[in-house]
Amino acid sequence: MKIITPATTEPITLALARKQCKVDPEGSPPVHEDDELIELFTATAREWCESYLGTLIAPTLVEISGDEFADEITLESGPVLSVESITYYDEDSVQQTVDPGDYELDTTEQIAVIRLVGDATWPTTDATNDNIRVRYTIGYSVAGESPQVAPLPKSIKTAILLLTSHLYKNRDSTVEQALAEMPMGVRFFLGPLMLRRRFA
């Protein structure tokens, strides 16, 4: 899996992160001199949780590739929000895009899959290595977005907030040291999700 577009939106808003860090902004619009730091720590906390869980949390555009079409295309590594495109090289080595009307995304199970609809068939390819490429967005729905295709679990939200405030309070330490002294509550909240992924 290759990341095409890194996350541009954090699952935790600045306003909520300020509350967790016990920071009171002033003015209109409200601002605080530590806003930049809080946003940095929020992103760092989210990235740590992603690494710990082995899945992407913030919406991220990724790409997988393969040599040939299967009956179903499995999309692993996290909740799938949408499929952007499926491209391939035809028998004349010309890149083509599969008609979105020919397939559907099924997210009803633990691992999302793409499957054909109706009488549609997968096209014939030139059978070279990695000639089929699927781009899709992994992650949880952004706060305030409607509909919430994949709502962020409260346990992940709490873990990110705990780690954000921990980094903020220990900002005179190096990030490595601060993460090494991370509060046990973070793993407590993420642990059940790890077990769920392991036995799914």
Side-chain angles (χ1 to χ4, degrees), residues 79-126:
V80 178
L81 296 176
S82 61
V83 176
E84 178 176 298
S85 65
I86 302 177
T87 60
Y88 66 98
Y89 286 92
D90 63 21
E91 294 176 302
D92 296 321
S93 297
V94 177
Q95 189 174 48
Q96 306 285 355
T97 300
V98 178
D99 185 343
D102 288 345
Y103 60 86
E104 64 182 0
L105 172 64
D106 183 356
T107 60
T108 57
E109 300 297 331
Q110 181 75 14
I111 298 179
V113 297
I114 297 172
R115 59 171 58 96
L116 293 167
V117 297
D119 297 327
T121 58
W122 293 118
T124 302
T125 71
D126 68 357

Side-chain angles (χ1 to χ4, degrees), residues 35-92:
D35 279 353
E36 186 177 355
L37 272 178
I38 293 173
E39 288 180 321
L40 172 63
F41 294 148
T42 300
T44 300
R46 184 260 305 166
E47 289 176 352
W48 188 93
C49 290
E50 287 179 331
S51 177
Y52 184 79
L53 290 171
T55 186
L56 294 170
I57 295 172
T60 305
L61 182 63
V62 300
E63 179 182 273
I64 58 173
S65 58
D67 302 339
E68 58 184 2
F69 284 107
D71 291 338
E72 294 183 343
I73 300 174
T74 301
L75 307 178
E76 300 189 41
S77 300
V80 178
L81 296 176
S82 61
V83 176
E84 178 176 298
S85 65
I86 302 177
T87 60
Y88 66 98
Y89 286 92
D90 63 21
E91 294 176 302
D92 296 321

Side-chain angles (χ1 to χ4, degrees), residues 180-194:
E181 299 171 353
M182 177 181 55
M184 288 299 295
V186 175
R187 290 191 173 91
F188 173 82
F189 285 110
L190 297 181
L193 294 173
M194 289 286 290

